[in-house]
Structure formats: C-alpha cells, structure tokens
Amino acid sequence: HLDSIVQGGNFDGAAGGIAGIAAVAALRAAGITPRRDVEVLALRCEEAVWFGLGLIGSRCMLARLPQGALELRHARTGKTLAESIALAGGDPEQLQQGKPLRDPAGIGAYLEIHIEQAPQLIEAGMPVAICLANPGNLRVDDAWIDVMVYIYEVIISNGGGG
C-alpha cells in the first residue's frame, strides 16, 4: 500500500510497492517465467487514517466495502469516500453496485511485503521473518488512543521502532 500512518517510520507504505517492482525486475533479469501472471499492486487507503476504515483499496478491488462506507467522510477534507474515489478517477457507482474491480477467482495468491518496525525482530536477533497471519486492528474511540500510546511507549523504552 502507498499510504502510511503518523510515525509509521521511514519504510512504511510505498516500500512494499517498490519491493514488488524490484522482485518482478529480479525475475525478469534471471530469465524466470512464472507459471502464472505476477502483478504488482499499489493500493491506497489501506490504513484507517483518513476515513476511519482500513483496507479500503483492497476492499474496493474485491467489492467488499461495508454498507455505508462510500458515505464516510475524509478526516481533513470532509469529502465522502465516493467523492474521493471519483476525484481520483475511480467509479464509485461500480462499487455501490457491488461489482469487484478484479475477479477474485483470478487471483492465485497474494503477498504483501511489510516493513515491521516494532522491536520483536531485533529482540529475536532476526533480520527478516515470514508472517503466516496478519492480526486485525481494533479501533474503539478513546481506547484506540490508549493502545497506541502504550505501543509507542513500549517501542521507545525497548529502543526499537522506526
């Protein structure tokens, strides 16, 4: 995804898209032809910063927006998600009708490069790891702020983070 969050670190967001392009370039340079097409996606609005709803880009791609999501308002501009999509050249009407932008049956696998900037890898002495699952986010008004402050304090006190 191309977006990040406040204090997301130097490598949050666009680094995954760049890594995807680099991976495809490496396949080509090595003369490797995968058995299936490989595509690099640059999704937007995956973080829940602006509309209070996460994974908007991927939800739009698969027509999985929750009811009323297109009416959510941007935190800064006040424009609805539908207006924002139209301004970026998208078709909110297609999304309103529940038509996916991509046929899910045509997707064989999905891989996201994620730059983990919490201290777990440093503490484990590992430069890289493979994640087999992705925990969901829980955002509950005031509680979310408390959780974020706690996580920030833990990262700072352990000397990690980005």
Side-chain angles (χ1 to χ4, degrees):
H1 56 85
L2 296 177
D3 54 330
S4 184
I5 58 171
V6 174
Q7 297 181 349
N10 294 335
F11 306 109
D12 191 29
I18 293 168
I21 293 168
V24 171
L27 288 172
R28 292 184 67 155
I32 297 172
T33 303
R35 287 181 275 163
R36 295 190 62 140
D37 290 342
V38 175
E39 296 177 79
V40 176
L41 299 175
L43 299 169
R44 292 183 62 193
C45 214
E46 292 295 280
E47 304 285 4
V49 176
W50 299 114
F51 293 96
L53 175 69
L55 308 174
I56 290 176
S58 51
R59 290 180 197 230
C60 285
M61 183 175 70
L62 301 173
R64 300 271 193 234
L65 283 175
Q67 188 73 16
L70 291 171
E71 301 311 312
L72 293 172
R73 296 208 171 265
H74 190 280
R76 188 184 315 156
T77 67
K79 289 182 173 46
T80 66
L81 178 57
E83 291 169 328
S84 299
I85 289 170
L87 286 169
D91 184 1
E93 185 60 35
Q94 181 178 357
L95 299 171
Q96 185 70 41
Q97 295 170 6
K99 296 178 183 176
L101 304 176
R102 292 289 309 274
D103 179 6
I107 301 171
Y110 176 83
L111 174 68
E112 177 183 353
I113 303 298
H114 188 84
I115 307 300
E116 178 55 58
Q117 297 176 91
Q120 286 84 353
L121 292 178
I122 294 169
E123 291 170 358
M126 300 177 70
V128 68
I130 296 173
C131 178
L132 301 177
N134 189 14
N137 289 321
L138 174 63
R139 290 179 170 89
V140 181
D141 299 332
D142 296 334
W144 176 244
I145 294 169
D146 293 340
V147 170
M148 289 305 296
V149 168
Y150 172 74
I151 291 170
Y152 180 74
E153 288 173 355
V154 168
I155 290 171
I156 297 303
S157 66
N158 288 333

